[in-house]
């Protein structure tokens, strides 16, 4: 049942290229993104004022990537909410808004309650769901299924990957409908997204390098992830994955926040995982990584193929391949998933069933 893999989590990490193809290809028509939602026409998309992305845990982290892509490409205001916060804070909602609910299981109780709240206020709800016929899928106005197949490991990996892909497709179509992306630009981004499965293959093959890094950090008490923009969203997800299955205390910070408190936690030998895949803020994150290094941190830097890494910044550098910068999260998440996985394995943890956690949280 594990297809020769020692754990479901590793199997599911390796299933990501297939999940990407299954999710993206059916929604591309003549090179353009086609959501195949007849009611959500370009004309309706053009009228959307604000987007609220609502979810829990890893799905919420996918929402953060979605928010950044939507705002950057379509210039539509988007915010991300934790479902359990959204449902109790009397959110400001307008019928011209769109609520996007994201869930692997489609059964998370806070997420379902958030969906019902939005509907009761007359706001249309688009759900991005993996489980066909689940409660969230049935209650939403529009559904974009992700086709990850069954996800068994408690730690979500392939479902997150295809949530990102679906949010990118949505952002491309929205930006095109809004006249923010030309047809040629939309086609280019869609073609890049279509080849994401191929782009991540070498990251799956590089597992020995990540396993080696995990072996260097296996006895650590705590760990920090830093990044900006997309890399901050990925820091949160990499950190959640690590603490969820390896029980290493881990936190993620927007790199610019270090000086506002966090840096007092950096002492000799503390691991800092710095993510720097975005050109515009590259120098900034590098200087943050350097600040932690000069206080004794052991820095693992994840960056792009040709980025110039000055001396004294990192102990280890993991390089990604050239790829469309906007889609870098798809490539970056793979080594972060593998890092969490190998840390958990080397620490003797029950990888697929971490303590105290359930796959689907159907209670508040
Ligand atoms: O089924 P859902 O996507 O609604 O679940 C949401 C979270 O409970 C889930 O992503 C959780 O954070 C994962 N165990 C993280 O790996």
């Amino acid at each position: 049942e594990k297809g020769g893999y020692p754990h479901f989590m590793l199997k599911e990490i390796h299933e990501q290229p297939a999940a990407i193809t299954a999710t993206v290809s059916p929604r591309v028509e003549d090179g353009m993104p086609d959501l195949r939602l007849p009611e959500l026409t370009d004309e309706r998309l053009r009228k959307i004022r604000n987007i609220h992305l609502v979810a829990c845990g890893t799905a919420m982290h996918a929402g953060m990537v979605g928010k950044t892509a939507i705002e950057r490409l379509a210039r539509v205001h988007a915010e991300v909410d934790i479902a359990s916060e959204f449902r109790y804070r009397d959110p400001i909602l307008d019928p011209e808004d769109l609520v996007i609910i994201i869930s692997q299981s489609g059964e998370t109780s806070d997420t379902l309650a958030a969906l019902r709240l939005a509907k009761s206020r007359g706001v249309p709800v688009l759900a991005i769901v993996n489980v066909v016929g689940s409660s969230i899928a049935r209650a939403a106005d529009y559904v974009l299924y992700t086709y990850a197949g069954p996800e068994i490991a408690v730690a979500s990996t392939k479902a997150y990957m295809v949530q990102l892909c679906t949010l990118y497709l949505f952002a491309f179509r929205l930006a095109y409908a809004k006249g923010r992306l030309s047809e040629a630009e939309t086609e280019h981004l869609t073609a890049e997204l279509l080849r994401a499965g191929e782009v991540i293959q070498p990251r799956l093959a590089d597992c020995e390098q990540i396993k080696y890094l995990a072996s260097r950090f296996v006895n650590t008490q705590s760990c920090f992830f830093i990044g900006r923009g997309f890399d901050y969203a990925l820091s949160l997800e990499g950190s959640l994955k690590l603490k969820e299955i390896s029980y290493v205390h881990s936190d993620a910070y927007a790199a610019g926040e270090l000086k506002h408190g966090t840096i007092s936690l950096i002492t000799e030998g503390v691991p800092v995982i710095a993510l720097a895949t975005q050109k515009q803020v590259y120098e900034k994150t590098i200087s943050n990584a350097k600040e932690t290094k000069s206080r004794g941190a052991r820095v693992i830097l994840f960056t792009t193929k040709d980025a110039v890494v000055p001396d004294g910044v990192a102990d280890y550098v993991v390089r990604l391949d050239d790829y469309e910068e906007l889609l870098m999260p798809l490539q970056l998440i793979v080594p972060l998933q593998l890092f969490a996985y190998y840390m958990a394995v080397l620490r003797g943890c029950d990888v697929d069933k971490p303590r105290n956690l359930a796959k689907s949280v159907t209670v508040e």
Side-chain angles (χ1 to χ4, degrees), residues 78-336:
E79 52 187 61
V80 182
D81 257 291
I82 296 169
S84 56
E85 290 291 311
F86 180 85
R87 65 180 291 199
Y88 293 119
R89 77 175 166 85
D90 191 10
I92 300 170
L93 295 169
D94 186 287
E96 306 273 275
D97 293 355
L98 177 71
V99 167
I100 302 183
I101 295 281
I102 310 162
S103 177
Q104 187 284 128
S105 63
E107 302 296 344
T108 302
S109 84
D110 281 319
T111 312
L112 181 59
L115 182 161
R116 295 206 168 113
L117 172 70
K119 283 196 74 173
S120 74
R121 301 275 190 88
V123 185
V125 175
L126 166 68
I128 297 178
V129 191
N130 195 49
V131 176
V132 175
S134 55
S135 305
I136 289 174
R138 281 184 280 121
D141 297 296
Y142 318 111
V143 181
L144 284 175
Y145 280 114
T146 51
Y147 298 109
E151 193 180 61
I152 310 292
V154 164
S156 182
T157 54
K158 61 177 180 171
Y160 170 82
M161 177 67 85
V162 288
Q163 284 160 357
L164 295 191
C165 291
T166 308
L167 287 160
Y168 278 123
L169 273 176
F170 174 82
F172 299 167
R173 189 76 218 184
L174 180 69
Y176 175 69
K178 290 256 177 195
R180 293 277 176 181
L181 280 180
S182 68
E183 192 167 330
E185 288 164 334
T186 312
E187 281 174 354
H188 166 73
L189 288 172
T190 306
E192 286 293 278
L193 182 62
L194 272 169
R195 69 179 193 94
E198 188 188 308
V199 170
I200 69 170
Q201 288 290 2
R203 300 292 74 74
L204 294 167
D206 283 349
C207 63
E208 285 305 318
Q209 182 196 12
I210 302 298
K211 194 171 175 180
Y212 168 76
L213 286 173
S215 75
R216 306 298 300 159
F217 291 88
V218 66
N219 291 319
T220 192
Q221 302 269 335
S222 65
C223 181
F224 297 94
F225 287 73
I226 59 168
R228 292 167 183 257
F230 281 129
D231 293 328
Y232 172 48
L234 273 274
S235 294
L236 285 163
E237 176 55 9
S239 174
L240 174 62
K241 221 82 304 173
L242 181 66
K243 65 187 127 191
E244 181 176 27
I245 59 170
S246 78
Y247 314 146
V248 171
H249 166 262
S250 171
D251 259 325
Y253 294 97
E257 276 289 287
L258 279 174
K259 282 194 184 61
H260 302 282
T262 326
I263 203 152
S264 66
L265 294 167
I266 305 296
T267 51
E268 199 60 38
V270 168
V272 169
I273 299 182
L275 310 181
T277 67
Q278 304 290 308
K279 278 204 186 65
Q280 194 212 341
V281 286
Y282 179 74
E283 310 282 330
K284 300 285 170 198
T285 303
I286 290 297
S287 81
N288 296 133
K290 199 167 178 181
E291 283 157 9
T292 67
K293 178 112 192 79
S294 67
R295 286 162 180 85
R298 287 186 295 162
V299 176
I300 310 179
L301 174 69
F302 288 79
T303 190
T304 51
K305 192 169 151 216
D306 301 320
V308 178
V309 180
D311 289 344
V313 168
D315 298 271
Y316 305 96
V317 180
V318 179
R319 301 236 181 222
L320 305 178
D321 287 330
D322 283 337
Y323 191 35
E324 171 65 46
E325 192 175 289
L326 188 89
L327 303 179
M328 247 348 159
L330 302 171
Q331 191 183 172
L332 175 58
I333 192 57
V334 177
L336 301 182

